[in-house]
Amino acid sequence: MLSKNILNDFPVLSRTIKGNRIVYLDSAASTLKPKPVIDKLSKFYLENYANVHRAVHTLASESTQMLEFSRKNYANFLNASEHEIIFTSGTTMSINLIVESLVRSKILNKDDIVLTTLVEHHANFVPWVRLSKLHGFRVEFVEPSLRFGTLAIEDFLKKDINPKVVAITGHSNVTGQLIDIEKIRNIFPNSILIVDGAQLIPHQRIDVKSLDIDFLCFSVHKMLGPSGIGVLYGKSQYLETLEPFLYGGEMIDKVGVEDVTFNVLPYKFEAGTPNIGGIVGANYALEYLKNIGFDEAKKHILDLTKYAIEKFRNIENVEVYGPLDESHCGILSFNIDGIHPHDVAHLLDEKFGVAVRSGHHCAQPLMNVLKSQSRLSQFPNSTCRASFYIYNSYEDIDILIEGIKKIKEWFDV
Ligand code: PMP
């Protein structure tokens, strides 16, 4: 277990709601923010903030240095080069940027195949489906054949196609399954590999070079940092040739009435004033996580997951989704037979102080898969989702389990 001192950095966890201590099990939606990150960011806003890149005055140069330092740290973290790190507003924005730029650059053309899966978050699903309608490329879907929404490597091997693009999550936000990116890359050595790292990066160091990832997207609000800021890694070979997604200030070199030329990387993809505080705060969040240690954080989260899986095994009439093996990390989705997940989530909050998420988790295609595999009397097209992070403990899981048992009693399930 990680040191209990971590809890001091999250004062909100000592709040009580309706008489109960808060048990925050909704980190897959967004993590809490540690006080040291908030303090440093507040100091930046109070003492250094100005717009970046454009001016020669001291504050502008301090802000610019701090912003570029964040880029450098994220580049090191991913084993990438600084010019391959683009700051966006989040994973959703990053994936939209890639799809649109691939189309505009005529890298992705009519009749080309894009391979994705039925377990994706809508952020890595809707852009492909919609833009395939407009531009005529084809989207193929890998269907999870294993336990409740779990993908098998064989599901990919079955696809006898040569996709131009493979776009896949590294970690499902519903089933908690970690996907073996290395194996996927080996199956599709010539495809453009895009990894949705929104759930993966918060607890795992990824080396984009050794995994030969072409694009990696993630959101800083899921790794202790501010919201509205995301990191997009792109292999420079693609970024150099891709048409930008957003046009405007900062991304240009020469502008004339006939045409324009673009700035160098990464600025070519960063039109307009960036989210300066977000980028600086992203660096503080990364430093905080590095201090804890990514391996330690992951071990802690895996320990909690294993513990929760064992506890859930002994509860009747509760269906738990995902692999329930060593590839299962940090996220447990479940349903109690006959009780709607919104009711379960509401009661957990109201009576036990437990914050979990309920709904389709922006993964409607996966809800359809779960529905087809479910043994519940009626699958509600949604689930309850408990997710764990560095500030959670075994005790938090005990409180969740106690809550579920009580709710079952009240509903006589
Ligand atoms: N992909 C996955 C797997 C996610 O969990 C999320 C966030 N729920 C996203 C993409 C989208 O992230 P954001 O809303 O920060 O753009």
Side-chain angles (χ1 to χ4, degrees):
M1 286 281 104
L2 293 172
S3 156
K4 279 217 152 142
N5 295 338
I6 286 179
L7 294 185
N8 297 334
D9 291 340
F10 298 90
V12 66
L13 291 175
S14 51
R15 256 189 77 180
T16 53
I17 288 189
K18 293 169 198 134
N20 294 303
R21 165 174 88 75
I22 290 182
V23 175
Y24 188 75
L25 300 180
D26 196 19
S27 295
S30 206
T31 60
L32 302 174
K33 316 301 168 199
K35 191 167 179 308
V37 170
I38 296 169
D39 288 347
K40 282 187 189 167
L41 184 53
S42 155
K43 188 169 181 308
F44 164 74
Y45 270 122
L46 293 172
E47 297 178 11
N48 311 97
Y49 178 84
N51 206 341
V52 289
H53 294 141
R54 272 162 268 217
V56 291
H57 61 76
T58 304
L59 287 183
S61 100
E62 283 175 7
S63 264
T64 304
Q65 268 177 25
M66 290 164 97
L67 180 146
E68 291 303 335
F69 187 61
S70 181
R71 196 189 307 278
K72 186 172 172 197
N73 270 350
Y74 273 92
N76 287 338
F77 171 59
L78 300 172
N79 190 24
S81 302
E82 280 165 61
H83 63 273
E84 294 174 314
I85 302 296
I86 295 157
F87 289 111
T88 68
S89 66
T91 307
T92 305
M93 165 74 166
S94 298
I95 298 174
N96 276 274
L97 182 160
I98 302 166
V99 187
E100 187 60 38
S101 290
L102 286 173
V103 169
R104 286 184 193 175
S105 315
K106 309 218 179 324
I107 294 176
L108 184 59
N109 297 303
K110 190 167 178 302
D111 297 330
D112 281 343
I113 298 174
V114 173
L115 185 67
T116 186
T117 81
L118 292 184
V119 314
E120 303 304 313
H121 185 282
H122 293 163
N124 192 30
F125 199 93
V126 180
W128 300 112
V129 170
R130 278 309 299 160
L131 288 174
S132 73
K133 303 266 175 254
L134 300 181
H135 299 288
F137 59 83
R138 271 171 48 207
V139 192
E140 292 264 339
F141 304 98
V142 178
E143 295 178 28
S145 64
L146 298 182
R147 188 181 193 287
F148 292 129
T150 303
L151 286 162
I153 286 302
E154 290 69 33
D155 301 335
F156 291 84
L157 288 168
K158 267 191 268 181
K159 291 274 167 194
D160 189 16
I161 51 175
N162 187 14
K164 176 69 77 67
V165 170
V166 174
I168 184 171
T169 184
H171 183 192
S172 162
N173 67 314
V174 178
T175 66
Q177 185 188 12
L178 289 166
I179 310 294
D180 193 331
I181 300 297
E182 196 175 351
K183 288 196 176 136
I184 307 283
R185 173 41 105 196
N186 289 339
I187 300 172
F188 304 103
N190 302 318
S191 306
I192 298 171
L193 179 61
I194 301 169
V195 176
D196 171 353
Q199 297 294 343
L200 181 68
I201 300 299
H203 49 69
Q204 184 154 326
R205 239 172 197 241
I206 287 291
D207 182 328
V208 289
K209 292 274 174 330
S210 76
L211 288 171
D212 193 22
I213 293 172
D214 295 310
F215 295 95
L216 173 69
C217 317
F218 54 98
S219 302
V220 172
H221 69 92
K222 293 186 199 283
M223 52 187 290
L224 306 176
S227 52
I229 185 73
V231 176
L232 164 60
Y233 158 79
K235 213 182 249 178
S236 56
Q237 135 199 5
Y238 287 110
L239 294 181
E240 290 292 355
T241 49
L242 278 182
E243 178 72 14
F245 171 53
L246 282 178
Y247 303 114
E250 198 63 22
M251 53 77 67
I252 45 76
D253 179 24
K254 296 266 182 309
V255 177
V257 289
E258 295 294 332
D259 204 355
V260 304
T261 57
F262 301 134
N263 203 343
V264 293
L265 292 177
Y267 310 110
K268 174 180 156 187
F269 290 96
E270 291 182 351
T273 301
N275 178 353
I276 302 164
I279 298 172
V280 170
N283 183 42
Y284 297 143
L286 181 61
E287 283 177 347
Y288 184 93
L289 272 170
K290 277 196 203 154
N291 270 339
I292 287 177
F294 272 83
D295 290 346
E296 286 78 0
K298 184 168 180 193
K299 181 173 180 316
H300 176 77
I301 294 161
L302 280 172
D303 284 349
L304 292 176
T305 314
K306 218 164 135 192
Y307 182 78
I309 287 173
E310 285 317 309
K311 292 271 169 177
F312 266 99
R313 273 195 213 285
N314 303 322
I315 314 180
E316 269 178 31
N317 297 326
V318 173
E319 199 164 71
V320 186
Y321 306 106
L324 305 190
D325 62 13
E326 63 290 344
S327 71
H328 201 135
C329 180
I331 292 172
L332 265 192
S333 285
F334 61 93
N335 270 318
I336 307 178
D337 203 359
I339 316 179
H340 197 280
H342 287 328
D343 292 334
V344 176
H346 180 68
L347 285 168
L348 283 172
D349 177 66
E350 186 77 13
K351 304 288 182 198
F352 305 94
V354 177
V356 296
R357 190 146 290 245
S358 54
H360 55 57
H361 315 294
C362 297
Q364 288 182 18
L366 177 55
M367 291 302 126
N368 292 334
V369 172
L370 295 182
K371 184 176 188 158
S372 71
Q373 297 177 333
S374 171
R375 288 178 219 114
L376 296 179
S377 41
Q378 195 189 3
F379 184 77
N381 286 332
S382 49
T383 74
C384 267
R385 179 184 73 183
S387 49
F388 318 125
Y389 208 51
I390 53 168
Y391 32 69
N392 292 120
S393 61
Y394 293 137
E395 195 196 335
D396 290 348
I397 292 166
D398 291 341
I399 296 171
L400 166 72
I401 298 290
E402 235 11 77
I404 290 171
K405 286 183 177 162
K406 275 275 179 289
I407 293 169
K408 281 185 62 206
E409 250 174 66
W410 295 332
F411 281 78
D412 200 16
V413 172

